[in-house]
């Protein structure tokens, strides 16, 4: 299918350009060689895709409205990709950090300046994702992350029970 699309694209290019002086042959050779490399890598056995029971995304920034709009954006993206979404919440209070600095270095100890930063949080949960879907979705929402916003991702992977545990006497039901 890929080869037919490439060949039809090349035919359209050569028919539209009357100044074809061998450039499309080079283009066609390079495209076909990349297609052959894609085909040769797809024949190798790949490990099974990972399953994540839960992905927790923590987003933090200095503006509550930006985080709220980003939460709406990720909800819309998850609905579009049919991803099960859990909570999309933000604590009401921000984390305040205050710093007091003297105005003058040597004298006038009474004259001080106070600086304050407020950090707002938003927590998003996504359930039952495969590894490829999770990677694609997380890359998409990370690329659309607003300025001044940080993201922390925690993945909970679902694994099979080891044979040593599943064959033990305690777990056998008869």
């Amino acid at each position: 299918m890929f080869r037919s699309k490439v060949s039809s694209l090349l035919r359209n290019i050569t028919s539209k350009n009357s100044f074809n002086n061998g450039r499309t042959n080079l283009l066609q050779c390079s495209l076909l060689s990349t297609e052959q490399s894609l085909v040769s890598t797809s024949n190798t056995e790949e490990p099974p895709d990972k399953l994540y029971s839960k992905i927790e995304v923590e987003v933090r920034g200095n503006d509550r409205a930006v985080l709220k709009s980003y939460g709406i954006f990720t909800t819309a993206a998850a609905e579009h990709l049919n991803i099960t979404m859990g909570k999309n919440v933000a604590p009401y209070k921000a984390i305040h950090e205050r710093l007091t600095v003297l105005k003058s270095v040597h004298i006038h100890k009474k004259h001080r300046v106070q600086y304050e930063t407020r950090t707002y949080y938003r927590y998003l949960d996504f359930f039952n994702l495969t590894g490829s879907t999770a990677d694609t979705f997380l890359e998409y929402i990370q690329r659309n992350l607003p300025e001044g916003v940080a993201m922390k991702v925690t993945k909970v992977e679902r694994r099979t029970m080891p044979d040593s545990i599943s064959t033990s006497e305690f777990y056998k039901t008869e």
Side-chain angles (χ1 to χ4, degrees):
M1 184 168 143
F2 179 75
R3 182 179 221 148
S4 62
K5 287 183 179 180
V6 170
S7 59
S8 64
L9 177 68
L10 288 174
R11 273 188 244 117
N12 291 339
I13 291 172
T14 55
S15 64
K16 290 179 183 176
N17 296 336
S18 60
F19 59 90
N20 181 13
N21 53 4
R23 288 186 209 156
T24 55
N25 291 337
L26 292 174
L27 178 67
Q28 186 175 11
C29 291
S30 65
L31 286 175
L32 290 177
S33 65
T34 57
E35 177 195 352
Q36 290 170 355
S37 65
L38 288 174
V39 169
S40 64
T41 58
S42 66
N43 291 338
T44 60
E45 280 191 34
E46 295 180 7
D49 206 8
K50 293 181 179 181
L51 294 175
Y52 296 107
S53 61
K54 183 178 183 181
I55 294 181
E56 301 170 347
V57 178
E58 176 187 312
V59 185
R60 61 174 72 174
N62 295 326
D63 191 6
R64 181 180 292 168
V66 171
L67 291 180
K68 183 177 181 181
S69 68
Y70 187 70
I72 294 169
F73 165 76
T74 54
T75 303
E79 287 176 2
H80 183 71
L81 294 172
N82 295 328
I83 295 174
T84 307
M85 187 164 178
K87 65 180 180 180
N88 180 1
V89 296
Y92 184 71
K93 286 193 167 190
I95 304 296
H96 296 278
E97 292 181 22
R98 293 184 179 96
L99 178 68
T100 305
V101 181
L102 292 173
K103 274 189 179 181
S104 176
V105 180
H106 301 292
I107 56 174
H108 307 297
K109 192 158 179 113
K110 293 181 181 179
H111 302 285
R112 298 173 183 238
V113 178
Q114 286 190 337
Y115 296 100
E116 177 180 284
T117 60
R118 296 178 186 178
T119 305
Y120 295 96
Y121 292 87
R122 182 161 286 273
Y123 300 101
L124 309 159
D125 286 347
F126 304 100
F127 297 108
N128 302 328
L129 292 165
T130 62
S132 57
T133 305
D135 292 340
T136 304
F137 179 67
L138 289 174
E139 182 179 346
Y140 178 68
I141 63 173
Q142 186 177 10
R143 285 183 184 235
N144 292 306
L145 200 64
E147 291 289 324
V149 176
M151 176 189 288
K152 177 182 169 186
V153 177
T154 306
K155 298 177 182 178
V156 179
E157 185 178 351
R158 186 178 288 171
R159 293 188 179 178
T160 59
M161 190 177 290
D163 292 334
S164 61
I165 295 175
S166 62
T167 58
S168 68
E169 295 291 324
F170 183 71
Y171 288 104
K172 287 186 179 178
T173 57
E174 293 180 9

